[in-house]
Amino acid sequence: LYSIYENALSRGLKYVYIGNILDEKTSSTYCPGCNQLLISRTVFSVHENYLKNGQCPHCDTTIAGRFRDK
């Protein structure tokens, strides 16, 4: 799974994460613009959601998908 995760990132996929495992780094979502943490999750739980109006609060990149802001 980790090899596939790294391969997907290296090929330009923007929203790659490994689900259902206990690893916060690879289970979380990062901004494709500035690489800051946007959604922190582990296994089945979202711990933090930093999105503001569907955008990264650090660089204002619009994030694809239907995330609920905090």
Side-chain angles (χ1 to χ4, degrees), residues 46-62:
V46 171
H47 298 287
E48 295 289 338
N49 180 347
Y50 299 105
L51 289 172
K52 300 292 182 202
N53 299 317
Q55 295 182 309
C56 174
H58 304 283
C59 70
D60 296 325
T61 296
T62 298

Side-chain angles (χ1 to χ4, degrees), residues 14-70:
K14 295 180 180 178
Y15 307 106
V16 179
Y17 64 91
I18 302 173
N20 303 339
I21 65 168
L22 188 57
D23 182 348
E24 189 172 349
K25 180 186 182 301
T26 60
S27 295
S28 297
T29 300
Y30 298 86
C31 177
C34 67
N35 204 39
Q36 291 292 314
L37 179 64
L38 295 176
I39 301 173
S40 170
R41 62 172 83 76
T42 54
V43 189
F44 299 112
S45 301
V46 171
H47 298 287
E48 295 289 338
N49 180 347
Y50 299 105
L51 289 172
K52 300 292 182 202
N53 299 317
Q55 295 182 309
C56 174
H58 304 283
C59 70
D60 296 325
T61 296
T62 298
I63 305 303
R66 297 189 58 109
F67 297 105
R68 281 186 268 163
D69 294 349
K70 227 176 168 179

